[in-house]
Amino acid sequence: MKPFYEKTIHTKPIFQGRMISLQVDEVELPNGQTSTREVVKHPGAVAVMPFTTDGRMVVVRQFRKPLEKEIYEIPAGKLEKGEDPASCALRELEEETGFAAESLQLVTSFYTSPGFADELLYIFEATGLTQGKVHPDEDEFVEAQLISLEEGLELMAAEQIHDAKTVFALMYWQNKRLKAQLGK
Amino acid sequence: MKPFYEKTIHTKPIFQGRMISLQVDEVELPNGQTSTREVVKHPGAVAVMPFTTDGRMVVVRQFRKPLEKEIYEIPAGKLEKGEDPASCALRELEEETGFAAESLQLVTSFYTSPGFADELLYIFEATGLTQGKVHPDEDEFVEAQLISLEEGLELMAAEQIHDAKTVFALMYWQNKRLKAQLGK
């Protein structure tokens, strides 16, 4: 049963870039009328919440051109064609922070902005970290940092943590902490 | 101090649509080399977590063209030019669900996908709900539903709740519940 389904009548390709592409779909609405949908195609991405044994999380500080500001985020990156999300997570973690992880678990996945983009983000939890050497992509400038949950919540209040995946990470972390306090 | 700042050398406009626009920025990297950044411009959006007095939350089911599937989301919509986020939140809540809210509080804001888009999403909590009449936009087909936290977590596990803002809402709600159990 798909009562709200919108059938594509025509797809107009607009742009094909390095990271995203854009198309405008003409659709038939459930009431028979037509409308247009602007759709950004994205290869999908992964993000990692890397937890240390002393109860801290690794974040990376980087400049984000669309925001024109630097923010702290959990390590993340886009999927290469055909790449397994777990392999991508370990690769991005090591490239951006130098940390290798012994254990990696998928926590959840979500679409970042379903109104206009098909980007699906997989979120992993990494533990058993060992420090190695950082080697980001050549056009990527990042700096790793370890934060406590309290520091994370302060950075969030100051809008220096200000993106969906890292805000999710803090909520998830806080949940874990509260569950542990309740003995759950 | 902006050690990772990327200076724009040139902006190439690609597309101007109903909801988003797209540009490609040529930037100077911190190491002096140049690169390009694909940037989707978005007017910003609001989302509302509407909580009823009997401990449920209002979600709306709708078809999302970029995902080619229906999902359950908290009520949300894009900001009109110059519109105040709180007014927009009350408007979208009423249009999509028919509920009016006595009390509205800003909980947080985050960028949905800072790698390629400037969409900033404000998330509100609404309480003191009274049921009125639904009147969505003419090309919008939505159906409101009340869910418990447990039902929400089941929908998330089944990927029927599958977007950043609604996953955030569930984490936030769970946090509140756990804090109440701890007497915090």
Side-chain angles (χ1 to χ4, degrees), chain A residues 8 18 38 65 113 119, chain B residues 8 18 38 65 113 119:
Chain A
T8 303
R18 288 198 307 157
E38 297 154 11
K65 193 64 193 168
S113 198
E119 182 191 21
Chain B
T8 304
R18 288 199 307 157
E38 295 153 10
K65 194 65 194 168
S113 198
E119 182 191 20

Side-chain angles (χ1 to χ4, degrees), chain A residues 1-11 25-39 114-115, chain B residues 18 61-70 137-142:
Chain A
M1 190 195 62
K2 286 187 168 183
F4 299 155
Y5 184 67
E6 298 174 358
K7 189 186 164 193
T8 303
I9 301 165
H10 177 76
T11 293
D25 289 350
E26 192 188 342
V27 298
E28 187 184 318
L29 300 175
N31 64 4
Q33 293 188 315
T34 60
S35 187
T36 56
R37 302 291 181 218
E38 297 154 11
V39 179
Chain B
R18 288 199 307 157
R61 187 165 65 97
Q62 65 184 310
F63 181 77
R64 290 301 203 170
K65 194 65 194 168
L67 283 45
E68 291 288 351
K69 72 171 185 177
E70 282 180 15
D137 290 345
E138 64 168 19
D139 69 346
E140 197 177 33
F141 298 85
V142 296

Side-chain angles (χ1 to χ4, degrees), chain B residues 107-119:
Chain B
V107 170
T108 192
S109 67
F110 54 70
Y111 289 95
T112 53
S113 198
F116 70 89
D118 74 347
E119 182 191 20

Side-chain angles (χ1 to χ4, degrees), chain B residues 45-80:
Chain B
V46 304
V48 194
M49 300 181 284
F51 291 109
T52 62
T53 44
D54 69 349
R56 290 187 292 171
M57 188 174 72
V58 189
V59 291
V60 292
R61 187 165 65 97
Q62 65 184 310
F63 181 77
R64 290 301 203 170
K65 194 65 194 168
L67 283 45
E68 291 288 351
K69 72 171 185 177
E70 282 180 15
I71 52 174
Y72 293 87
E73 299 171 53
I74 53 173
K78 71 173 177 14
L79 282 164
E80 302 297 331

Side-chain angles (χ1 to χ4, degrees), chain A residues 6 8 17-20 35-38 65 70 109 111 113 119 139 162-164 175 178 181 184, chain B residues 4 6 8 17-20 35-38 65 109 111 113 119 139 162-164 175 178 181 184:
Chain A
E6 298 174 358
T8 303
R18 288 198 307 157
M19 182 191 261
I20 57 171
S35 187
T36 56
R37 302 291 181 218
E38 297 154 11
K65 193 64 193 168
E70 282 180 13
S109 68
Y111 289 94
S113 198
E119 182 191 21
D139 68 347
H162 208 192
D163 77 306
N175 253 307
L178 292 167
Q181 286 171 6
K184 282 193 178 177
Chain B
F4 298 156
E6 298 175 357
T8 304
R18 288 199 307 157
M19 184 191 261
I20 57 171
S35 188
T36 56
R37 302 292 181 216
E38 295 153 10
K65 194 65 194 168
S109 67
Y111 289 95
S113 198
E119 182 191 20
D139 69 346
H162 208 193
D163 77 307
N175 247 302
L178 293 167
Q181 286 170 7
K184 282 191 181 182

Side-chain angles (χ1 to χ4, degrees), chain A residues 90-101:
Chain A
L90 292 174
R91 178 175 59 75
E92 289 290 348
L93 176 64
E94 218 205 322
E95 281 179 8
E96 294 189 354
T97 72
F99 281 104

Side-chain angles (χ1 to χ4, degrees), chain A residues 48-52 56-62 71-76 93 96-99 129 134 142-149 151-153 155-156 160-163 165-167 169-170 173, chain B residues 4:
Chain A
V48 195
M49 301 181 283
F51 292 109
T52 62
R56 291 186 292 170
M57 187 173 73
V58 189
V59 291
V60 293
R61 188 165 64 99
Q62 65 184 311
I71 53 175
Y72 292 87
E73 298 171 55
I74 53 174
L93 176 64
E96 294 189 354
T97 72
F99 281 104
L129 305 181
V134 183
V142 296
E143 193 179 85
Q145 200 161 317
L146 292 167
I147 58 167
S148 67
L149 175 56
E151 286 165 341
L153 294 172
L155 286 169
M156 184 177 153
Q160 290 183 278
I161 283 178
H162 208 192
D163 77 306
K165 64 183 174 302
T166 313
V167 166
L170 293 178
W173 193 3
Chain B
F4 298 156

